[in-house]
Amino acid sequence: MNVIKIGGNVLDNPAQLEQFLTDFASIQGPKVLVHGGGKIASELSKQLGIEPNMVNGRRITDADTLRVVTMVYGGLLNKNLVAQLQARGCNSLGLTGADANVIPAHKRPVTDIDYGFVGDVESPEQVNVTFLASLAEQGLTPVFAALTHDGQGSLLNTNADTIASTLAVALSRQFEVNLIYLFEKKGVLLDVEDDTSVIHHLQPQYYAELKKQGAIFSGMLPKLDNAFAALQQGVKAVIIGDAAEIKGIATGEKAGTRITL
Amino acid sequence: MNVIKIGGNVLDNPAQLEQFLTDFASIQGPKVLVHGGGKIASELSKQLGIEPNMVNGRRITDADTLRVVTMVYGGLLNKNLVAQLQARGCNSLGLTGADANVIPAHKRPVTDIDYGFVGDVESPEQVNVTFLASLAEQGLTPVFAALTHDGQGSLLNTNADTIASTLAVALSRQFEVNLIYLFEKKGVLLDVEDDTSVIHHLQPQYYAELKKQGAIFSGMLPKLDNAFAALQQGVKAVIIGDAAEIKGIATGEKAGTRITL
C-alpha cells in the first residue's frame, strides 16, 4: 500500500495537478492520498478579511480560520480531487479524520503559543484501520484532507505530514506500507543548490554521518527524523521525491530518496 | 432504514440543530442523513461578492457559485455535522455523490434556462448500493451533502430532496426504507394557516380527492408527487414532518404525515 502526501505546490498548479492525478490513478494496488492546501486557504481567508496568522510555519487557527480550512481542505480541494480521480477511473472517497472516526485527535494544549483549533493526533493505534481495510477490499481509494476532530464536536486543523505518517504507521499493522512525501525537489539533496545531488538511499548510519557533517539542509531534518520514526513503527519505506516522478517512485524505480532501516 | 433529509431551517438554528442531532443519533438501525444548506451558501456568496442568482427557486450555479456550494455543503456543513454526530456516539461519514461514485449525475441540459453546474441524477439503478450496504454493515451512518458529479471531473450542485429520494429508492433494493423529509411544519396541512390540521395518513385515493378539492397547498404538490413516485419505486413509506419530532417519526409513533401506497 502506498500512502502519498502532496503539498501545496502541486495543488496550486492546475497542469501539474492534472498530470499528478493521472499518474496517481494509474498506480496499482491499494493507495491513500493525503493533501494540504494552506495557500488556497490563505487566499480565501484574505478574501474574507481574515488575516492569516502563522507562527513557526504553523497556522494559528481561530474559529474563523477553522471555518475557512474546513471549507477549503474538506470541501473545495478534497471533493474536487475526488471528482477528478473519478474521471480517471480511480474510485476514490474524500475523508477527514472525523469521518468514520478514522483519526481521533485532541486540541493542542496551550503552552507558550495558543495554536487554536489545531489537532495533535492520538496514537496510530487509535486509527480506524478496520474501516480503511474495508475500503481497500472494495477497491476504494481514500483521499484525506488535513482535518481531524476532538470527539467532542469540533474539527481540528491538522498537519498533513502528520496525518500521512499516522495513517502509514497504523496501516502497517495490516499492509506493507510505503509512505511517500511529494514536493517540488527530486528528493533529499546533498547540496541544496544542486538538484542533481539526490541521495537515492538513506539508512540510519548514513543519515547519522550526514547529520554529523552538517550535509543535510536543516529544513529537511524534522521530516527525516519523522521518517525514521515511522520506519521504527513498522512502515516499510519512506520515499521523498518529486510529484512529477510519482509513477517511478510507486513502481520502485530509481526516483526520489528511499529511506529504510 | 431511515433516509432523512433536513433543510435550511434546522441548519440555520444552532439550538434546533443540536437537538436534532441528538435525536438523530439516538435513532436505532441503519440511517442516512441528507442536508442542504442554501442559506449559508448564499451568505458566503455575498461575503465574496458573488450575487446569488435564483430562478424558479433554483440556484443558478456558475463556476464561482459551484466553488461556494462545494465549500459550504461539502466542507463546512457536512464535516461539522459529522464531527457533531461523532460527539453523540453516532459513527458517521460525510459524502457527496462523487465519493465512491455513489450518485452519478449529469449536468442539466440547457433549455430555456441554463442552470449552470446543476446535476440531474442518473437513475437509482446507478447508485452504488454495495458501498452504502457495506457502511450499514459496519454501523456507519452516511451524511450526504447536496453535491453529485458528472464522472468527467466536475462536481454538480444537486437538489437535496432529489438526492434523498434517489438514495431511498436505490436502497429499497436491499433494505426496507422510510424516506423522511423534515421541515418546520408538523406535516402536510389540510389548512396551511392551521398548524394543527396535519394529515396523518395520505394514500393515493385520498390524495387524489384532496387535489381535486384544491385542499393541498400548491407548494406541497411537487413534494407529494415525488413522494408517491418514490413509493412506486419500492420505498416503504414517505414521512413529511417536523425536525423537532424526528424521534416520534422514526419510531413510527403518530407524528408527521405518513404517505404510503
Side-chain angles (χ1 to χ4, degrees):
Chain A
M1 179 180 278
N2 290 302
V3 175
I4 300 174
K5 188 255 170 175
I6 50 170
N9 291 296
V10 183
L11 293 167
D12 288 344
N13 182 322
Q16 265 184 42
L17 180 60
E18 295 216 354
Q19 185 58 52
F20 168 76
L21 292 173
T22 300
D23 294 342
F24 178 84
S26 76
I27 297 171
Q28 298 298 306
K31 56 199 171 191
V32 174
L33 184 62
V34 180
H35 65 87
K39 282 189 199 172
I40 297 164
S42 294
E43 280 165 28
L44 181 66
S45 287
K46 278 178 197 160
Q47 278 184 279
L48 293 171
I50 305 160
E51 202 53 46
N53 183 0
M54 310 292 283
V55 173
N56 303 334
R58 305 234 165 186
R59 189 183 299 272
I60 303 289
T61 308
D62 60 14
D64 284 340
T65 303
L66 181 64
R67 278 173 67 96
V68 167
V69 297
T70 302
M71 292 195 288
V72 171
Y73 303 167
L76 186 67
L77 295 174
N78 191 261
K79 297 307 174 185
N80 275 297
L81 288 170
V82 167
Q84 290 184 50
L85 286 172
Q86 292 289 357
R88 288 162 171 84
C90 173
N91 198 353
S92 59
L93 175 72
L95 296 173
T96 68
D99 297 293
N101 196 23
V102 171
I103 313 172
H106 57 268
K107 192 166 177 283
R108 181 170 300 166
V110 178
T111 51
D112 48 337
I113 300 167
D114 181 357
Y115 285 99
F117 295 99
V118 163
D120 288 327
V121 300
E122 308 295 348
S123 71
E125 282 74 37
Q126 297 200 35
V127 168
N128 188 348
V129 173
T130 309
F131 175 65
L132 296 175
S134 99
L135 295 181
E137 269 167 41
Q138 294 175 74
L140 287 165
T141 298
V143 177
F144 275 92
L147 297 165
T148 58
H149 75 133
D150 65 1
Q152 291 163 54
S154 182
L155 294 164
L156 296 167
N157 187 12
T158 304
N159 182 272
D161 283 7
T162 306
I163 286 185
S165 67
T166 302
L167 289 171
V169 168
L171 287 161
S172 294
R173 301 208 301 269
Q174 287 196 32
F175 299 87
E176 200 170 80
V177 178
N178 290 325
L179 169 58
I180 303 174
Y181 288 112
L182 299 175
F183 65 158
E184 67 285 3
K185 300 274 182 190
K186 299 279 176 207
V188 181
L189 303 177
L190 261 179
D191 175 357
V192 75
E193 303 294 326
D194 176 5
D195 277 354
T196 66
S197 68
V198 174
I199 302 168
H200 290 293
H201 193 187
L202 193 57
Q203 283 181 298
Q205 201 186 337
Y206 186 32
Y207 181 49
E209 278 172 34
L210 289 174
K211 273 212 283 196
K212 226 182 253 171
Q213 296 165 21
I216 289 178
F217 177 59
S218 63
M220 193 52 84
L221 293 177
K223 224 177 185 101
L224 292 175
D225 286 338
N226 288 336
F228 283 106
L231 294 170
Q232 266 143 11
Q233 293 171 82
V235 173
K236 189 187 147 211
V238 179
I239 303 133
I240 298 180
D242 188 344
E245 296 189 332
I246 181 60
K247 279 178 89 164
I249 291 171
T251 56
E253 287 164 43
K254 215 173 194 176
T257 299
R258 193 172 187 82
I259 307 167
T260 59
L261 290 185
Chain B
M1 178 180 278
N2 290 301
V3 175
I4 300 174
K5 187 256 172 176
I6 50 170
N9 290 297
V10 182
L11 293 167
D12 288 344
N13 182 320
Q16 266 184 41
L17 181 59
E18 295 216 351
Q19 184 59 51
F20 168 76
L21 291 172
T22 299
D23 293 342
F24 178 83
S26 76
I27 297 172
Q28 298 298 307
K31 57 200 172 190
V32 174
L33 184 62
V34 180
H35 65 88
K39 282 190 200 172
I40 298 164
S42 293
E43 280 166 27
L44 181 66
S45 287
K46 279 179 198 162
Q47 276 185 281
L48 293 171
I50 305 159
E51 201 53 45
N53 183 0
M54 309 293 283
V55 173
N56 303 334
R58 304 234 167 186
R59 188 183 299 273
I60 302 291
T61 308
D62 61 12
D64 283 339
T65 303
L66 181 65
R67 278 175 66 96
V68 167
V69 297
T70 302
M71 292 195 287
V72 171
Y73 303 167
L76 186 66
L77 295 174
N78 191 262
K79 297 309 175 184
N80 274 297
L81 287 171
V82 167
Q84 289 184 49
L85 286 172
Q86 292 290 357
R88 288 162 171 83
C90 173
N91 198 353
S92 59
L93 175 72
L95 297 173
T96 69
D99 297 292
N101 196 24
V102 171
I103 313 172
H106 57 268
K107 192 166 176 285
R108 181 171 299 166
V110 178
T111 52
D112 49 337
I113 299 168
D114 182 357
Y115 286 100
F117 295 99
V118 164
D120 287 327
V121 300
E122 309 294 348
S123 71
E125 282 73 39
Q126 297 200 34
V127 168
N128 188 349
V129 173
T130 309
F131 174 64
L132 296 176
S134 99
L135 295 181
E137 268 167 42
Q138 295 175 71
L140 287 164
T141 297
V143 177
F144 276 91
L147 297 165
T148 58
H149 76 132
D150 65 2
Q152 293 164 52
S154 183
L155 294 164
L156 296 167
N157 187 12
T158 303
N159 182 272
D161 283 7
T162 307
I163 287 186
S165 67
T166 303
L167 289 170
V169 168
L171 287 161
S172 294
R173 302 208 300 271
Q174 288 197 31
F175 299 88
E176 198 170 82
V177 177
N178 291 323
L179 170 58
I180 303 173
Y181 288 113
L182 299 175
F183 65 158
E184 68 286 3
K185 300 273 184 191
K186 299 277 175 209
V188 182
L189 303 177
L190 263 180
D191 174 359
V192 76
E193 303 293 326
D194 176 4
D195 278 356
T196 66
S197 68
V198 174
I199 302 169
H200 290 292
H201 195 187
L202 194 57
Q203 282 180 299
Q205 203 185 338
Y206 184 33
Y207 180 50
E209 279 171 36
L210 289 173
K211 271 212 282 199
K212 226 182 255 174
Q213 296 166 21
I216 290 178
F217 177 58
S218 64
M220 193 52 83
L221 293 176
K223 224 178 186 104
L224 291 175
D225 286 339
N226 288 336
F228 283 106
L231 294 171
Q232 264 143 12
Q233 292 171 83
V235 172
K236 189 188 148 211
V238 179
I239 302 131
I240 298 180
D242 187 345
E245 296 190 331
I246 181 58
K247 279 179 90 165
I249 291 171
T251 55
E253 286 165 43
K254 216 174 193 174
T257 299
R258 194 174 186 82
I259 308 167
T260 59
L261 292 184

